[in-house]
């Protein structure tokens, strides 16, 4: 349970079978920081690593939120740049400017089937990583233009 947001978090083990878990360097952890920031998963191997989110309602809109905080977890002090995709579609480029600044990206997606993939794509500018991945269903009446 995140003490700040009161949201319940679960391990990502059932959603991806690649990557390595790491703890953020303790010098970047603050008392007001939510626990969901404390660790992350990095993907040193492979060009494309995808989370598969299942048991979705086809045609429903979902808010997909990704969170990143480098926190010098690898001791290299080199903030990476990599791409995010929803399925095969390019979403955005994640550009981590420094070790202690959190970065959050959100997108509203209509899922065509019972699952959707959120993929981190290595573009050759550092090791992709993720601190948190959130998925929230939206009411059908919200964002009618989507």
């Amino acid at each position: 349970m995140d003490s700040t947001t009161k949201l319940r978090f679960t391990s990502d083990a059932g959603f991806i079978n690649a990557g390595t878990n790491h703890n953020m360097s303790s010098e970047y952890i603050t008392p007001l920081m939510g626990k969901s920031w404390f660790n992350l998963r990095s993907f040193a191997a492979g060009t494309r690593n995808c989370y598969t989110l299942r048991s979705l309602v086809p045609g429903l809109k979902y808010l997909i939120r990704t969170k990143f905080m480098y926190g010098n977890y690898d001791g290299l002090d080199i903030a990476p740049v990599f791409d995010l995709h929803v399925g095969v579609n390019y979403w955005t480029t994640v550009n981590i400017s420094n070790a202690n600044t959190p970065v959050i990206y959100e997108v509203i997606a209509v899922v065509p089937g019972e699952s959707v993939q959120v993929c981190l794509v290595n573009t050759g500018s550092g090791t992709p990583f993720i601190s948190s991945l959130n998925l929230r269903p939206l009411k059908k009446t919200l964002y009618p233009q989507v």
Side-chain angles (χ1 to χ4, degrees):
M1 178 76 70
D2 188 294
S3 59
T4 305
T5 64
K6 304 300 183 212
L7 293 174
R8 185 175 308 213
F9 286 87
T10 185
S11 167
D12 63 357
F15 304 97
I16 194 160
N17 58 5
T20 307
N21 287 322
H22 299 275
N23 291 321
M24 190 169 52
S25 177
S26 60
E27 67 188 272
Y28 294 98
I29 295 175
T30 66
L32 298 177
M33 185 182 294
K35 288 183 180 181
S36 66
W37 294 103
F38 290 6
N39 56 40
L40 57 94
R41 182 180 291 265
S42 70
F43 302 95
T47 302
R48 181 181 178 92
N49 290 280
C50 300
Y51 284 86
T52 302
L53 308 173
R54 295 181 175 84
S55 301
L56 306 182
V57 177
L60 191 64
K61 291 174 256 190
Y62 288 86
L63 171 68
I64 301 171
R65 178 183 297 133
T66 54
K67 296 181 180 183
F68 307 89
M69 185 158 168
Y70 173 57
N72 199 25
Y73 75 90
D74 55 6
L76 299 175
D77 205 24
I78 301 171
V81 177
F82 52 92
D83 287 345
L84 279 179
H85 288 222
V86 175
V88 297
N89 299 308
Y90 170 81
W91 171 6
T92 192
T93 296
V94 177
N95 190 348
I96 306 299
S97 58
N98 61 57
N100 64 347
T101 301
V103 177
I104 300 172
Y105 294 97
E106 295 180 336
V107 67
I108 296 171
V110 178
V111 299
E114 294 180 355
S115 67
V116 68
Q117 288 190 320
V118 176
C119 304
L120 292 83
V121 180
N122 190 332
T123 58
S125 298
T127 302
F129 74 94
I130 190 166
S131 301
S132 179
L133 173 61
N134 306 141
L135 179 75
R136 295 190 169 240
L138 299 174
K139 292 181 180 182
K140 292 180 182 184
T141 55
L142 290 175
Y143 306 103
Q145 67 276 19
V146 174

